[in-house]
Amino acid sequence: MAGEGDNESFVACLSRLPPHADGIVFAVSSFDGSTFETVQSAHCRIVDESLGRELARYGLPAHGPHTALIMAEVTRGTGAWTMAAIGEPVACTTFADLLQAAEA
């Protein structure tokens, strides 16, 4: 049924990133102009696939006239990765627009 479970997913193998990579931003977007007005809820979660266990879940505001949502940022600290939920709605029509919003 639509709206239940994970509709979209990202897989990030953090251990395979080069040492100079210190962060990743996760976003969802609709470059065809569709908005998030029909989205009733959104969440971002971290799952350790090797353990089959959910480590964290963040509910995010999604409903609105925007075309993209910057979901979360994962950053590398001293020996560990941390995740911060962002949930920032943005209006963009291209990947370059989304990249600029994510860098802000």
Side-chain angles (χ1 to χ4, degrees):
M1 174 177 275
E4 291 185 15
D6 295 330
N7 293 19
E8 303 290 336
S9 63
F10 305 94
V11 175
C13 296
L14 301 177
S15 62
R16 296 179 69 189
L17 291 173
H20 66 274
D22 60 359
I24 301 173
V25 174
F26 293 96
V28 293
S29 64
S30 169
F31 295 132
D32 70 359
S34 299
T35 67
F36 281 68
E37 290 176 316
T38 60
V39 177
Q40 297 303 313
S41 65
H43 66 269
C44 186
R45 64 191 193 117
I46 299 174
V47 176
D48 184 329
E49 290 187 337
S50 67
L51 300 174
R53 189 175 76 168
E54 181 176 284
L55 302 176
R57 177 186 293 256
Y58 300 97
L60 300 167
H63 182 77
H66 48 280
T67 56
L69 185 66
I70 299 174
M71 301 287 284
E73 180 177 27
V74 177
T75 56
R76 185 188 330 233
T78 50
W81 290 90
T82 59
M83 178 180 156
I86 298 174
E88 179 182 340
V90 292
C92 58
T93 56
T94 66
F95 177 74
D97 293 342
L98 181 58
L99 186 58
Q100 183 176 2
E103 290 176 340

Coordinates of all heavy atoms in Angstrom, one line a residue:
M1 N 0.8 -1.2 0.0 CA 0.0 0.0 0.0 C 0.9 1.2 0.0 O 1.8 1.3 0.8 CB -0.9 0.0 1.2 CG -1.7 1.2 1.4 SD -2.9 1.2 2.8 CE -4.2 0.3 2.0
A2 N 0.6 2.2 -0.8 CA 1.4 3.4 -0.9 C 1.3 4.2 0.4 O 0.3 4.2 1.1 CB 0.8 4.3 -2.0
G3 N 2.5 4.8 0.8 CA 2.5 5.5 2.0 C 2.9 4.7 3.2 O 3.1 5.2 4.3
E4 N 3.1 3.4 3.0 CA 3.5 2.6 4.2 C 4.9 2.0 3.9 O 5.2 1.7 2.8 CB 2.5 1.4 4.4 CG 1.2 1.9 4.9 CD 0.3 0.7 5.2 OE1 0.8 -0.5 5.3 OE2 -0.9 0.9 5.3
G5 N 5.7 1.9 4.9 CA 7.0 1.4 4.7 C 8.0 2.4 4.1 O 7.7 3.6 4.2
D6 N 9.0 1.9 3.5 CA 10.0 2.8 2.9 C 9.7 2.9 1.4 O 9.9 1.9 0.7 CB 11.4 2.3 3.1 CG 11.8 2.3 4.6 OD1 11.4 3.2 5.3 OD2 12.7 1.4 5.0
N7 N 9.3 4.0 0.9 CA 9.0 4.2 -0.5 C 10.3 4.4 -1.3 O 10.4 4.1 -2.4 CB 8.1 5.4 -0.7 CG 6.7 5.1 -0.2 OD1 6.5 4.3 0.7 ND2 5.8 5.9 -0.6
E8 N 11.3 5.1 -0.6 CA 12.6 5.3 -1.2 C 13.7 5.0 -0.2 O 13.5 5.1 1.0 CB 12.8 6.8 -1.6 CG 11.7 7.4 -2.5 CD 11.8 6.9 -3.9 OE1 12.9 6.5 -4.3 OE2 10.8 6.9 -4.6
S9 N 14.8 4.5 -0.7 CA 15.9 4.2 0.2 C 17.2 4.5 -0.4 O 17.4 4.5 -1.7 CB 15.8 2.7 0.6 OG 16.0 1.9 -0.5
F10 N 18.2 4.8 0.4 CA 19.5 5.1 0.0 C 20.4 4.1 0.8 O 20.2 3.8 1.9 CB 20.0 6.5 0.5 CG 19.1 7.6 0.0 CD1 18.1 8.1 0.8 CD2 19.3 8.2 -1.3 CE1 17.3 9.1 0.3 CE2 18.5 9.2 -1.7 CZ 17.5 9.7 -0.9
V11 N 21.4 3.6 0.1 CA 22.4 2.7 0.8 C 23.7 3.4 0.7 O 24.2 3.8 -0.4 CB 22.5 1.3 0.1 CG1 23.6 0.5 0.7 CG2 21.1 0.6 0.1
A12 N 24.3 3.6 1.8 CA 25.6 4.3 1.9 C 26.6 3.4 2.7 O 26.3 3.0 3.8 CB 25.5 5.6 2.6
C13 N 27.6 2.9 2.0 CA 28.7 2.1 2.7 C 29.7 3.1 3.2 O 30.7 3.4 2.4 CB 29.3 1.1 1.7 SG 28.1 -0.1 1.1
L14 N 29.5 3.6 4.4 CA 30.4 4.6 4.9 C 31.9 4.2 5.0 O 32.8 5.0 4.8 CB 29.9 5.1 6.3 CG 28.5 5.7 6.3 CD1 28.0 6.0 7.7 CD2 28.3 6.9 5.3
S15 N 32.1 2.9 5.3 CA 33.5 2.4 5.4 C 34.2 2.5 4.1 O 35.5 2.4 4.0 CB 33.5 1.0 5.9 OG 32.8 0.1 5.0
R16 N 33.5 2.6 3.0 CA 34.2 2.7 1.6 C 34.5 4.1 1.2 O 35.0 4.3 0.1 CB 33.3 1.9 0.6 CG 33.2 0.4 1.0 CD 32.3 -0.3 0.1 NE 33.0 -0.4 -1.2 CZ 32.4 -0.8 -2.3 NH1 31.1 -1.2 -2.3 NH2 33.0 -0.9 -3.5
L17 N 34.1 5.1 1.9 CA 34.3 6.5 1.5 C 35.8 6.8 1.8 O 36.4 6.3 2.8 CB 33.4 7.4 2.3 CG 32.0 7.4 2.0 CD1 31.2 8.3 2.9 CD2 31.7 7.8 0.5
P18 N 36.4 7.6 0.9 CA 37.8 8.0 1.2 C 37.9 8.9 2.4 O 36.9 9.5 2.9 CB 38.1 8.9 -0.1 CG 36.8 9.3 -0.6 CD 35.8 8.2 -0.2
P19 N 39.1 8.9 3.1 CA 39.3 9.6 4.3 C 38.9 11.1 4.3 O 38.5 11.7 5.3 CB 40.7 9.4 4.6 CG 41.2 8.2 3.9 CD 40.3 8.2 2.6
H20 N 39.1 11.7 3.1 CA 38.8 13.2 3.0 C 37.3 13.5 2.9 O 36.8 14.6 3.1 CB 39.5 13.8 1.8 CG 39.0 13.3 0.5 ND1 39.5 12.2 -0.1 CD2 38.1 13.8 -0.4 CE1 38.9 12.0 -1.2 NE2 38.1 12.9 -1.4
A21 N 36.5 12.4 2.7 CA 35.0 12.6 2.7 C 34.5 12.7 4.1 O 34.5 11.7 4.8 CB 34.3 11.5 1.9
D22 N 34.0 13.8 4.5 CA 33.6 14.0 5.9 C 32.1 14.2 6.1 O 31.6 14.4 7.2 CB 34.4 15.1 6.6 CG 34.2 16.4 5.9 OD1 33.4 16.5 4.9 OD2 34.7 17.4 6.4
G23 N 31.3 14.1 5.0 CA 29.9 14.2 5.1 C 29.1 13.9 3.9 O 29.7 13.9 2.8
I24 N 27.9 13.5 4.1 CA 26.9 13.2 3.0 C 25.6 13.8 3.4 O 25.2 13.8 4.5 CB 26.7 11.7 2.9 CG1 28.0 10.9 2.6 CG2 25.7 11.4 1.8 CD1 27.9 9.4 2.7
V25 N 25.0 14.4 2.4 CA 23.6 15.0 2.6 C 22.7 14.1 1.8 O 22.9 13.8 0.6 CB 23.6 16.5 2.1 CG1 22.1 17.0 2.2 CG2 24.5 17.3 2.9
F26 N 21.6 13.7 2.4 CA 20.5 13.0 1.7 C 19.3 13.9 1.5 O 18.9 14.6 2.4 CB 20.1 11.8 2.6 CG 21.2 10.8 2.8 CD1 22.0 10.7 3.8 CD2 21.4 9.8 1.8 CE1 23.0 9.8 4.0 CE2 22.4 8.9 1.9 CZ 23.2 8.9 3.0
A27 N 18.8 13.8 0.3 CA 17.7 14.6 -0.1 C 16.8 13.8 -1.1 O 17.2 12.9 -1.7 CB 18.2 15.9 -0.8
V28 N 15.5 14.2 -1.1 CA 14.6 13.7 -2.1 C 14.0 14.9 -2.8 O 13.9 16.0 -2.3 CB 13.4 12.9 -1.4 CG1 14.0 11.6 -0.8 CG2 12.7 13.7 -0.4
S29 N 13.8 14.7 -4.1 CA 13.3 15.8 -5.0 C 12.4 15.3 -6.1 O 12.4 14.1 -6.4 CB 14.5 16.5 -5.5 OG 15.2 15.7 -6.4
S30 N 11.8 16.3 -6.7 CA 10.9 16.1 -7.8 C 11.2 17.1 -8.8 O 10.8 18.3 -8.7 CB 9.4 16.1 -7.4 OG 8.6 16.2 -8.6
F31 N 12.1 16.8 -9.8 CA 12.5 17.8 -10.7 C 11.5 18.1 -11.8 O 11.7 18.9 -12.7 CB 13.9 17.5 -11.3 CG 15.0 17.4 -10.3 CD1 15.9 16.4 -10.3 CD2 15.2 18.5 -9.5 CE1 16.9 16.4 -9.4 CE2 16.2 18.5 -8.5 CZ 17.1 17.4 -8.5
D32 N 10.4 17.3 -11.8 CA 9.4 17.5 -12.9 C 8.4 18.5 -12.4 O 7.4 18.8 -13.1 CB 8.7 16.2 -13.2 CG 7.8 15.6 -12.1 OD1 7.7 16.3 -11.0 OD2 7.2 14.6 -12.3
G33 N 8.6 19.2 -11.3 CA 7.7 20.2 -10.8 C 6.6 19.7 -9.8 O 5.9 20.5 -9.3
S34 N 6.5 18.4 -9.6 CA 5.5 17.9 -8.6 C 5.9 18.4 -7.3 O 7.1 18.5 -7.0 CB 5.5 16.4 -8.6 OG 5.1 15.9 -9.9
T35 N 5.0 18.7 -6.4 CA 5.3 19.2 -5.1 C 5.0 18.1 -4.0 O 4.4 17.1 -4.3 CB 4.4 20.4 -4.8 OG1 3.1 20.1 -4.7 CG2 4.6 21.5 -5.8
F36 N 5.3 18.5 -2.8 CA 5.1 17.6 -1.7 C 3.8 17.8 -1.0 O 3.5 17.4 0.1 CB 6.2 17.8 -0.6 CG 7.5 17.1 -1.0 CD1 8.3 17.5 -2.1 CD2 8.0 16.0 -0.3 CE1 9.5 16.9 -2.4 CE2 9.2 15.4 -0.6 CZ 9.9 15.8 -1.6
E37 N 2.8 18.4 -1.7 CA 1.5 18.7 -1.2 C 0.7 17.4 -0.9 O -0.1 17.5 0.0 CB 0.7 19.6 -2.1 CG 1.3 21.0 -2.1 CD 0.6 22.0 -3.0 OE1 0.4 21.6 -4.2 OE2 0.4 23.1 -2.6
T38 N 1.0 16.4 -1.6 CA 0.3 15.1 -1.3 C 1.0 14.2 -0.3 O 0.5 13.2 0.1 CB 0.1 14.3 -2.6 OG1 1.4 14.0 -3.2 CG2 -0.8 15.1 -3.6
V39 N 2.2 14.6 0.1 CA 3.0 13.8 1.1 C 2.5 14.1 2.5 O 2.5 15.3 2.9 CB 4.5 14.1 1.0 CG1 5.2 13.3 2.1 CG2 5.0 13.7 -0.4
Q40 N 1.9 13.1 3.2 CA 1.4 13.3 4.5 C 2.4 13.2 5.6 O 2.3 13.8 6.7 CB 0.2 12.4 4.7 CG -1.0 12.6 3.8 CD -1.5 14.1 3.8 OE1 -1.7 14.6 4.9 NE2 -1.6 14.7 2.7
S41 N 3.4 12.3 5.4 CA 4.5 12.2 6.4 C 5.7 11.7 5.7 O 5.7 11.1 4.6 CB 4.0 11.2 7.5 OG 3.9 9.9 6.9
A42 N 6.8 12.0 6.3 CA 8.1 11.5 5.8 C 9.0 11.1 7.0 O 8.9 11.7 8.1 CB 8.8 12.5 5.0
H43 N 9.9 10.2 6.8 CA 10.8 9.9 7.9 C 12.1 9.5 7.2 O 12.2 9.1 6.1 CB 10.3 8.7 8.8 CG 10.2 7.4 8.1 ND1 9.0 7.0 7.5 CD2 11.1 6.4 7.9 CE1 9.2 5.8 7.0 NE2 10.4 5.4 7.2
C44 N 13.2 9.6 8.0 CA 14.5 9.2 7.6 C 15.0 8.3 8.7 O 14.8 8.6 9.9 CB 15.4 10.5 7.5 SG 17.0 10.2 6.9
R45 N 15.5 7.2 8.3 CA 16.0 6.2 9.3 C 17.3 5.6 8.9 O 17.7 5.6 7.8 CB 15.0 5.1 9.6 CG 14.7 4.2 8.4 CD 13.5 3.3 8.7 NE 13.4 2.3 7.7 CZ 13.5 1.0 8.0 NH1 13.6 0.6 9.2 NH2 13.4 0.1 7.0
I46 N 18.1 5.2 9.9 CA 19.3 4.5 9.7 C 19.1 3.0 10.1 O 18.6 2.7 11.2 CB 20.4 5.1 10.6 CG1 20.7 6.6 10.3 CG2 21.7 4.3 10.5 CD1 21.6 7.2 11.2
V47 N 19.5 2.2 9.2 CA 19.4 0.7 9.4 C 20.8 0.1 9.2 O 21.4 0.3 8.2 CB 18.4 0.1 8.4 CG1 18.3 -1.4 8.6 CG2 17.0 0.7 8.6
D48 N 21.2 -0.7 10.2 CA 22.4 -1.5 10.0 C 22.0 -2.8 9.4 O 21.4 -3.6 10.0 CB 23.0 -1.7 11.4 CG 24.4 -2.5 11.3 OD1 24.5 -3.3 10.3 OD2 25.2 -2.3 12.2
E49 N 22.3 -2.9 8.1 CA 21.8 -4.0 7.3 C 22.5 -5.3 7.8 O 21.9 -6.4 7.7 CB 22.0 -3.8 5.8 CG 21.0 -2.8 5.3 CD 21.1 -2.6 3.8 OE1 22.1 -3.0 3.2 OE2 20.1 -2.2 3.2
S50 N 23.7 -5.2 8.3 CA 24.4 -6.4 8.7 C 23.7 -7.0 9.9 O 23.8 -8.2 10.1 CB 25.9 -6.1 9.0 OG 26.0 -5.3 10.1
L51 N 23.1 -6.2 10.7 CA 22.4 -6.6 11.9 C 20.9 -6.8 11.7 O 20.2 -7.4 12.5 CB 22.6 -5.7 13.1 CG 24.1 -5.5 13.6 CD1 24.1 -4.4 14.7 CD2 24.6 -6.8 14.1
G52 N 20.4 -6.2 10.6 CA 19.0 -6.2 10.3 C 18.2 -5.4 11.4 O 17.1 -5.7 11.7
R53 N 18.8 -4.3 11.8 CA 18.3 -3.6 12.9 C 18.2 -2.1 12.6 O 19.2 -1.5 12.1 CB 19.1 -3.8 14.2 CG 18.5 -3.3 15.5 CD 19.4 -3.7 16.6 NE 20.6 -2.8 16.6 CZ 21.5 -2.7 17.6 NH1 21.4 -3.5 18.6 NH2 22.5 -1.9 17.5
E54 N 17.1 -1.4 13.0 CA 17.0 0.0 12.9 C 17.7 0.7 14.0 O 17.5 0.4 15.2 CB 15.5 0.4 12.9 CG 15.3 1.9 12.7 CD 13.8 2.3 12.7 OE1 13.2 2.1 11.6 OE2 13.2 2.7 13.7
L55 N 18.6 1.6 13.7 CA 19.4 2.3 14.7 C 18.8 3.7 15.1 O 18.9 4.1 16.3 CB 20.8 2.5 14.2 CG 21.6 1.3 13.8 CD1 22.9 1.7 13.2 CD2 21.7 0.3 15.0
A56 N 18.1 4.3 14.2 CA 17.5 5.6 14.5 C 16.4 5.9 13.4 O 16.5 5.5 12.3 CB 18.6 6.7 14.4
R57 N 15.5 6.7 13.9 CA 14.4 7.1 13.0 C 14.0 8.6 13.4 O 13.9 8.9 14.5 CB 13.1 6.3 13.1 CG 12.0 6.7 12.3 CD 10.7 5.9 12.6 NE 10.9 4.5 12.2 CZ 10.3 4.0 11.1 NH1 9.5 4.8 10.3 NH2 10.5 2.8 10.7
Y58 N 13.9 9.4 12.3 CA 13.5 10.8 12.5 C 12.3 11.1 11.7 O 12.3 10.9 10.5 CB 14.6 11.7 12.1 CG 15.9 11.5 12.9 CD1 16.9 10.8 12.3 CD2 16.1 12.1 14.1 CE1 18.1 10.6 13.0 CE2 17.3 11.9 14.8 CZ 18.3 11.2 14.3 OH 19.4 11.0 15.0
G59 N 11.2 11.6 12.3 CA 10.1 12.0 11.5 C 10.3 13.4 11.0 O 10.9 14.3 11.7
L60 N 10.0 13.7 9.8 CA 10.3 15.0 9.1 C 9.1 15.6 8.6 O 8.2 14.9 8.0 CB 11.3 14.8 8.0 CG 12.7 14.2 8.4 CD1 13.5 13.8 7.2 CD2 13.5 15.2 9.2
P61 N 9.0 17.0 8.7 CA 7.8 17.6 8.0 C 8.0 17.6 6.5 O 9.1 17.9 6.0 CB 7.9 19.1 8.5 CG 9.4 19.2 8.8 CD 9.9 17.9 9.3
A62 N 7.0 17.1 5.8 CA 7.2 17.0 4.3 C 6.1 17.7 3.5 O 6.4 18.2 2.4 CB 7.2 15.5 3.9
H63 N 4.9 17.8 4.1 CA 3.8 18.3 3.3 C 4.0 19.8 3.0 O 4.4 20.6 3.9 CB 2.5 18.1 4.2 CG 1.3 18.6 3.5 ND1 0.6 17.9 2.6 CD2 0.6 19.7 3.7 CE1 -0.4 18.5 2.1 NE2 -0.5 19.7 2.8
G64 N 3.8 20.2 1.7 CA 3.9 21.6 1.4 C 4.1 21.8 -0.1 O 4.2 20.8 -0.9
P65 N 4.2 23.0 -0.5 CA 4.3 23.3 -2.0 C 5.7 23.2 -2.5 O 6.0 23.6 -3.7 CB 3.8 24.8 -2.0 CG 4.2 25.3 -0.7 CD 4.0 24.2 0.3
H66 N 6.7 22.7 -1.7 CA 8.1 22.6 -2.2 C 8.3 21.4 -3.1 O 7.5 20.5 -3.1 CB 9.0 22.6 -1.0 CG 8.6 21.6 0.1 ND1 7.6 21.9 1.0 CD2 9.0 20.4 0.3 CE1 7.4 20.9 1.7 NE2 8.3 19.9 1.4
T67 N 9.4 21.4 -3.8 CA 9.7 20.3 -4.8 C 10.8 19.4 -4.3 O 11.2 18.4 -4.9 CB 10.1 20.9 -6.1 OG1 11.1 21.8 -6.0 CG2 8.9 21.6 -6.8
A68 N 11.4 19.8 -3.1 CA 12.5 18.9 -2.6 C 12.5 19.0 -1.1 O 12.0 20.0 -0.5 CB 13.9 19.4 -3.2
L69 N 13.2 18.1 -0.5 CA 13.3 18.0 1.0 C 14.7 17.5 1.3 O 15.1 16.4 0.9 CB 12.3 17.1 1.6 CG 12.2 17.1 3.1 CD1 11.8 18.4 3.7 CD2 11.3 16.0 3.6
I70 N 15.5 18.4 2.0 CA 16.8 18.0 2.4 C 16.6 17.2 3.7 O 16.1 17.7 4.7 CB 17.8 19.1 2.7 CG1 18.0 19.9 1.3 CG2 19.1 18.7 3.2 CD1 18.8 21.2 1.4
M71 N 16.8 15.9 3.6 CA 16.3 15.0 4.7 C 17.3 15.0 5.9 O 16.9 15.2 7.0 CB 16.2 13.5 4.2 CG 15.2 13.4 3.1 SD 13.5 13.5 3.6 CE 13.3 11.9 4.4
A72 N 18.6 14.7 5.6 CA 19.5 14.5 6.7 C 21.0 14.7 6.3 O 21.2 14.6 5.1 CB 19.4 13.1 7.3
E73 N 21.8 14.9 7.2 CA 23.3 15.0 6.9 C 24.0 14.0 7.8 O 23.7 13.9 9.0 CB 23.8 16.4 7.2 CG 25.3 16.5 6.9 CD 25.8 17.9 7.1 OE1 25.2 18.7 7.9 OE2 26.7 18.3 6.5
V74 N 24.9 13.2 7.3 CA 25.7 12.3 8.0 C 27.1 12.8 7.9 O 27.6 13.1 6.8 CB 25.6 10.8 7.4 CG1 26.6 9.9 8.1 CG2 24.2 10.3 7.4
T75 N 27.8 13.0 9.1 CA 29.1 13.6 9.1 C 30.1 12.6 9.9 O 29.6 12.0 10.8 CB 29.1 15.0 9.8 OG1 28.5 14.9 11.0 CG2 28.4 16.0 8.9
R76 N 31.3 12.7 9.5 CA 32.4 11.9 10.1 C 33.0 12.8 11.2 O 33.6 13.8 10.9 CB 33.4 11.4 9.1 CG 34.4 10.5 9.7 CD 35.6 10.1 8.8 NE 35.3 10.1 7.4 CZ 35.6 9.0 6.6 NH1 36.1 7.9 7.1 NH2 35.4 9.1 5.3
G77 N 33.0 12.3 12.4 CA 33.8 12.9 13.5 C 35.0 12.1 13.8 O 35.6 11.5 12.9
T78 N 35.5 12.2 15.0 CA 36.7 11.5 15.3 C 36.4 10.0 15.5 O 35.9 9.6 16.6 CB 37.3 12.0 16.6 OG1 36.3 12.1 17.6 CG2 38.0 13.4 16.4
G79 N 36.5 9.2 14.5 CA 36.3 7.8 14.5 C 34.9 7.3 14.4 O 34.6 6.1 14.5
A80 N 33.9 8.2 14.3 CA 32.5 7.8 14.3 C 31.7 8.7 13.3 O 32.1 9.8 13.1 CB 31.9 7.9 15.7
W81 N 30.6 8.1 12.8 CA 29.7 8.9 12.0 C 28.5 9.2 12.8 O 28.0 8.5 13.7 CB 29.3 8.0 10.8 CG 30.3 7.8 9.8 CD1 31.2 6.8 9.8 CD2 30.6 8.6 8.7 NE1 32.0 6.9 8.7 CE2 31.7 8.0 8.0 CE3 30.1 9.8 8.1 CZ2 32.2 8.5 6.8 CZ3 30.6 10.3 7.0 CH2 31.7 9.7 6.3
T82 N 27.9 10.4 12.6 CA 26.7 10.9 13.3 C 25.7 11.4 12.2 O 26.1 11.8 11.1 CB 27.0 12.0 14.3 OG1 27.6 13.1 13.6 CG2 27.9 11.5 15.4
M83 N 24.5 11.3 12.5 CA 23.4 11.7 11.6 C 22.6 12.8 12.3 O 22.3 12.7 13.5 CB 22.5 10.6 11.3 CG 21.4 11.0 10.4 SD 20.3 9.6 10.0 CE 18.8 10.4 9.6
A84 N 22.3 13.9 11.5 CA 21.4 14.9 12.0 C 20.3 15.1 11.0 O 20.5 15.2 9.8 CB 22.2 16.3 12.1
A85 N 19.1 15.0 11.6 CA 17.9 15.2 10.8 C 17.8 16.7 10.4 O 18.0 17.5 11.3 CB 16.6 14.7 11.5
I86 N 17.4 17.0 9.2 CA 17.3 18.4 8.8 C 15.9 18.7 8.4 O 15.3 19.6 9.0 CB 18.3 18.7 7.6 CG1 19.7 18.4 8.0 CG2 18.0 20.1 7.0 CD1 20.7 18.5 6.9
G87 N 15.3 18.0 7.5 CA 13.9 18.2 7.1 C 13.6 19.6 6.6 O 12.6 20.2 6.8
E88 N 14.5 20.1 5.8 CA 14.4 21.5 5.2 C 13.7 21.4 3.8 O 14.3 20.9 2.9 CB 15.7 22.1 5.1 CG 15.7 23.5 4.5 CD 17.0 24.2 4.3 OE1 18.0 23.7 5.0 OE2 17.2 25.1 3.5
P89 N 12.5 22.0 3.7 CA 11.9 22.0 2.4 C 12.6 23.1 1.5 O 12.9 24.2 2.0 CB 10.4 22.4 2.7 CG 10.5 23.0 4.0 CD 11.7 22.5 4.7
V90 N 12.8 22.8 0.2 CA 13.4 23.7 -0.7 C 12.6 23.6 -2.0 O 12.1 22.6 -2.4 CB 14.9 23.5 -0.9 CG1 15.6 23.8 0.3 CG2 15.2 22.1 -1.3
A91 N 12.7 24.7 -2.8 CA 12.1 24.7 -4.1 C 13.3 24.7 -5.1 O 14.2 25.5 -5.0 CB 11.3 26.0 -4.3
C92 N 13.3 23.7 -6.0 CA 14.4 23.6 -6.9 C 13.8 22.9 -8.2 O 12.9 22.1 -8.1 CB 15.6 22.9 -6.4 SG 15.3 21.2 -5.7
T93 N 14.5 23.2 -9.3 CA 14.0 22.5 -10.5 C 15.2 21.7 -11.2 O 14.9 21.0 -12.2 CB 13.5 23.6 -11.5 OG1 14.5 24.5 -11.8 CG2 12.2 24.2 -11.0
T94 N 16.4 21.9 -10.7 CA 17.5 21.1 -11.2 C 18.4 20.6 -10.1 O 18.3 21.0 -8.9 CB 18.4 22.1 -12.1 OG1 19.0 23.0 -11.2 CG2 17.6 22.7 -13.2
F95 N 19.3 19.6 -10.4 CA 20.2 19.1 -9.5 C 21.1 20.2 -8.9 O 21.4 20.2 -7.7 CB 21.0 18.0 -10.1 CG 22.0 17.4 -9.1 CD1 21.6 16.6 -8.0 CD2 23.4 17.7 -9.2 CE1 22.6 16.1 -7.1 CE2 24.3 17.2 -8.3 CZ 23.9 16.5 -7.3
A96 N 21.5 21.1 -9.8 CA 22.4 22.2 -9.4 C 21.7 23.1 -8.3 O 22.3 23.5 -7.3 CB 22.8 23.1 -10.6
D97 N 20.4 23.3 -8.4 CA 19.6 24.1 -7.4 C 19.6 23.3 -6.1 O 19.8 23.9 -5.0 CB 18.2 24.3 -7.9 CG 18.0 25.2 -9.0 OD1 18.9 25.9 -9.4 OD2 16.9 25.1 -9.7
L98 N 19.4 22.0 -6.2 CA 19.4 21.2 -5.0 C 20.7 21.1 -4.3 O 20.9 21.3 -3.1 CB 18.9 19.8 -5.3 CG 18.8 18.8 -4.1 CD1 17.8 19.3 -3.1 CD2 18.4 17.4 -4.6
L99 N 21.8 21.0 -5.1 CA 23.2 21.0 -4.5 C 23.5 22.3 -3.8 O 24.0 22.3 -2.7 CB 24.2 20.7 -5.7 CG 25.6 20.6 -5.2 CD1 25.8 19.4 -4.3 CD2 26.5 20.3 -6.5
Q100 N 23.1 23.4 -4.4 CA 23.3 24.7 -3.8 C 22.5 24.9 -2.5 O 23.1 25.4 -1.5 CB 22.9 25.8 -4.8 CG 23.2 27.2 -4.3 CD 22.8 28.3 -5.3 OE1 22.3 28.1 -6.3 NE2 23.1 29.6 -4.9
A101 N 21.3 24.4 -2.5 CA 20.5 24.4 -1.2 C 21.1 23.5 -0.1 O 21.2 23.9 1.0 CB 19.1 24.0 -1.5
A102 N 21.7 22.4 -0.5 CA 22.3 21.5 0.4 C 23.6 22.0 1.0 O 23.9 21.7 2.1 CB 22.5 20.1 -0.2
E103 N 24.3 22.8 0.2 CA 25.6 23.4 0.7 C 25.4 24.6 1.6 O 26.3 24.9 2.3 CB 26.4 23.8 -0.5 CG 26.9 22.6 -1.3 CD 27.7 23.0 -2.5 OE1 27.6 24.1 -3.0 OE2 28.5 22.2 -3.0
A104 N 24.2 25.1 1.6 CA 23.9 26.3 2.4 C 23.9 26.1 3.9 O 23.7 25.0 4.3 CB 22.6 27.0 2.0

